[in-house]
Amino acid sequence: MEIITTIINGLSIGGIYAMIALGYTMVYGIAKMLNFAHGDIIMVGGYTIYVTMNLTGHPLIAIAVAVVFCVILGVTIEKVAYKPLRGASPLAVLITAIGVSYLLQSLAQIVFGSAPKMVRIADMGSLKIGSLKIQVYTLVTLVCTIIVMICLTLFVKLTKTGRAMLATSEDKAATQLMGISVNRIITITFAIGSALAALAGLFYLLKAPSISNTFGSMPGIKAFTAAVIGGIGSIPGAMLGGFLLGIVECISYKIPIIAPYTDAIEFLILIVILLVKPTGILGKRRREKV
């Protein structure tokens, strides 16, 4: 029974990584840039929940405010920091993204200080099924992340905007010739990714109710690792990479001899997979048109 609990916990934390990874992979797939400030959007969402909970005490209001604020912040960052660099080299965009990341962390430290803040959202207790005992927040996280991923997949495949995203990721020039605004599609992509980051911050706070200005750093790095493992630019790949990483993490923590090296094991898996399949598990090699 313990292995079942471990796998469920792994899928739960993997779902959080997958939600964050979806932001990385969508932005890369469409805008061809790595938004390393994405992890800090999680931190901003967490602090927004913290402030709103202190003001209202209502979790649903806090979640809604966090999602809206993170969407506005993500779109603003795209307009101010990334849009002017549309034709710049990838290195310039990468350095800008790192700069935005440190800017957000520094601002959070100035406003809230460096000491961690406790964020009590809801005490959901545990659920016992026979000899199986599972934390309710784990099941809530797993179910919600699966629903979000299904909705996102349907949105991309069935809606006009989703199909425009797929077209933009394949060929921006051809997409513009079809009358689709590439800038608008990229803005929508940032908005969706930022909303997912806010939700990921919520679920991460349910797991570990403490936040600081570096709250989103390690989850962001692991989510990026998950995106690369699954195949950067692939939505199913981000999901697969997130779940795989979550399960490996929880199993490693259960084995005392390797528990201290859990992070190293996760990054080692990344290296091995890239050596075997450089494009990731579900990634596809694209031919560059000349």
Side-chain angles (χ1 to χ4, degrees):
M1 285 298 179
E2 187 175 351
I3 187 64
I4 296 175
T5 304
T6 301
I7 291 174
I8 292 174
N9 289 335
L11 290 173
S12 175
I13 188 67
I16 298 174
Y17 291 153
M19 291 185 80
I20 307 169
L22 284 169
Y24 281 112
T25 205
M26 288 179 69
V27 169
Y28 180 82
I30 293 172
K32 294 297 180 289
M33 63 161 289
L34 295 174
N35 180 22
F36 278 116
H38 187 63
D40 297 290
I41 301 292
I42 305 167
M43 176 267 296
V44 172
Y47 272 122
T48 306
I49 291 173
Y50 166 74
V51 171
T52 311
M53 283 293 293
N54 286 340
L55 292 175
T56 66
H58 202 292
L60 293 180
I61 295 176
I63 295 166
V65 171
V67 170
V68 171
F69 187 76
C70 285
V71 167
I72 293 172
L73 177 63
V75 171
T76 302
I77 289 173
E78 190 275 327
K79 293 290 186 185
V80 174
Y82 300 143
K83 188 176 179 181
L85 299 175
R86 215 54 109 222
S89 68
L91 181 60
V93 179
L94 179 62
I95 292 172
T96 301
I98 295 173
V100 171
S101 173
Y102 281 113
L103 173 63
L104 292 176
Q105 290 184 25
S106 299
L107 288 175
Q109 186 172 3
I110 292 170
V111 175
F112 297 100
S114 57
K117 309 290 184 184
M118 297 303 295
V119 187
R120 297 291 181 186
I121 299 174
D123 185 8
M124 298 182 179
S126 59
L127 182 65
K128 194 168 184 179
I129 305 173
S131 60
L132 188 65
K133 186 177 181 181
I134 305 171
Q135 296 296 321
V136 174
Y137 77 80
T138 301
L139 295 177
V140 170
T141 299
L142 181 57
V143 171
C144 289
T145 51
I146 290 174
I147 291 173
V148 167
M149 290 173 196
I150 291 172
C151 291
L152 180 61
T153 302
L154 293 176
F155 171 79
V156 171
K157 289 186 176 181
L158 301 181
T159 66
K160 184 178 179 181
T161 302
R163 290 193 292 270
M165 287 179 174
L166 293 175
T168 304
S169 67
E170 290 294 330
D171 193 323
K172 287 189 181 66
T175 303
Q176 287 178 318
L177 291 174
M178 294 170 64
I180 297 172
S181 172
V182 171
N183 287 332
R184 173 177 165 272
I185 294 301
I186 292 175
T187 299
I188 292 173
T189 303
F190 269 85
I192 293 173
S194 299
L196 292 176
L199 292 176
L202 162 69
F203 295 132
Y204 213 80
L205 284 174
L206 288 174
K207 174 180 177 291
S210 174
I211 184 170
S212 68
N213 66 313
T214 57
F215 174 73
S217 297
M218 186 53 73
I221 292 171
K222 289 188 177 181
F224 176 69
T225 301
V228 176
I229 287 174
I232 191 77
S234 167
I235 291 178
M239 299 177 191
L240 176 62
F243 286 131
L244 175 63
L245 215 60
I247 292 173
V248 168
E249 181 174 309
C250 285
I251 291 176
S252 297
Y253 277 133
K254 287 291 183 180
I255 303 173
I257 195 171
I258 65 173
Y261 311 105
T262 298
D263 291 346
I265 291 170
E266 291 174 293
F267 296 129
L268 179 62
I269 291 172
L270 169 65
I271 294 171
V272 171
I273 288 179
L274 290 181
L275 288 174
V276 176
K277 197 172 189 295
T279 56
I281 297 174
L282 298 182
K284 295 179 181 178
R285 189 181 298 276
R286 296 186 178 183
R287 294 182 180 179
E288 296 293 333
K289 296 180 180 178
V290 180

